Amino acid sequence: MQDFRENPNENFRQAYASTALENDLFDSNEMEVELASPWQRMGARLLDYVIFAAIFMVFFFILAIFIKNSTTVIGLSLLFVIAFGIYQIVIMSRDGQTVGKKALNIRVITEDGDNPGFVKYCLVREFGYSFIFTLIGMVSKTLGDSLGIVATIVCVVMLFLEDRNRQTLQDLLAKTLVIKN
């Protein structure tokens, strides 16, 4: 059987290509970046959750020991969550990194190689993506939960697709990449 593709070895080369991003997203004379591995990305997300949970639990237990009014403890705990969220937003906007990404030396950039800033990183990539599933969940909790699980599985699979620059649904929405720093 004859192969009518222009270059029949193209798929073979792509399968063993470097993770260094050298395609038409970037002008080859301008920059070359190395994509973060799927394990780095998942590790950074897990680290973000672990750090937040550990700090929150310590803060909550200290409050619970010294303050006997449960309403005050809940209010101060909520204040802590808001403060931590603001801190994450500031460093994500400024550096393209969360605490977990900083620890694993990876960061988010736009497809042009710039820092995504507040609008692309926070509003579109993080909040916009979550907002879509929140709206669906408001219409139907079962549908929202189901789509959230499916989207998570799809994103994990997408992390391993080098030929798609390991862009997850959030990355495609905001036109971002996650690279090694």
Side-chain angles (χ1 to χ4, degrees):
M1 181 194 270
Q2 185 177 0
D3 192 347
F4 293 100
R5 291 178 290 174
E6 268 185 52
N7 186 353
N9 293 324
E10 185 176 332
N11 288 339
F12 177 78
R13 280 193 213 108
Q14 285 179 348
Y16 294 98
S18 164
T19 58
L21 190 60
E22 301 170 15
N23 63 16
D24 43 38
L25 285 176
F26 296 99
D27 183 14
S28 60
N29 297 330
E30 258 184 58
M31 72 180 336
E32 182 178 313
V33 294
E34 189 172 355
L35 296 172
S37 77
W39 305 110
Q40 285 176 306
R41 291 185 66 172
M42 288 186 286
R45 179 62 62 128
L46 182 63
L47 199 53
D48 285 333
Y49 289 137
V50 168
I51 289 169
F52 173 76
I55 293 171
F56 180 77
M57 287 191 325
V58 168
F59 183 78
F60 183 80
F61 286 123
I62 289 171
L63 284 177
I65 290 169
F66 293 109
I67 299 173
K68 299 303 177 198
N69 183 345
S70 62
T71 306
T72 305
V73 171
I74 292 170
L76 289 172
S77 297
L78 185 60
L79 215 72
F80 167 79
V81 170
I82 292 169
F84 189 81
I86 290 170
Y87 173 72
Q88 284 281 67
I89 289 170
V90 168
I91 64 170
M92 286 188 302
S93 300
R94 187 187 65 207
D95 304 328
Q97 296 174 299
T98 61
V99 174
K101 284 182 178 70
K102 276 185 184 294
L104 294 179
N105 208 26
I106 62 176
R107 69 187 180 102
V108 177
I109 61 170
T110 64
E111 290 177 345
D112 299 328
D114 298 324
N115 180 5
F118 177 74
V119 172
K120 275 200 170 206
Y121 196 131
C122 298
L123 292 184
V124 177
R125 191 173 187 274
E126 299 297 330
F127 299 126
Y129 177 78
S130 298
F131 186 68
I132 291 168
F133 291 102
T134 302
L135 284 179
I136 294 169
M138 290 171 73
V139 173
S140 167
K141 181 167 176 23
T142 306
L143 180 63
D145 292 345
S146 300
L147 285 178
I149 291 168
V150 169
T152 300
I153 293 167
V154 167
C155 285
V156 169
V157 169
M158 292 174 84
L159 286 174
F160 291 90
L161 301 176
E162 285 182 39
D163 60 326
R164 306 243 346 168
N165 298 324
R166 294 188 176 139
Q167 288 178 295
T168 61
L169 298 173
Q170 299 96 308
D171 294 317
L172 293 172
L173 185 65
K175 296 183 171 127
T176 56
L177 300 165
V178 182
I179 63 167
K180 292 182 180 179
N181 217 4

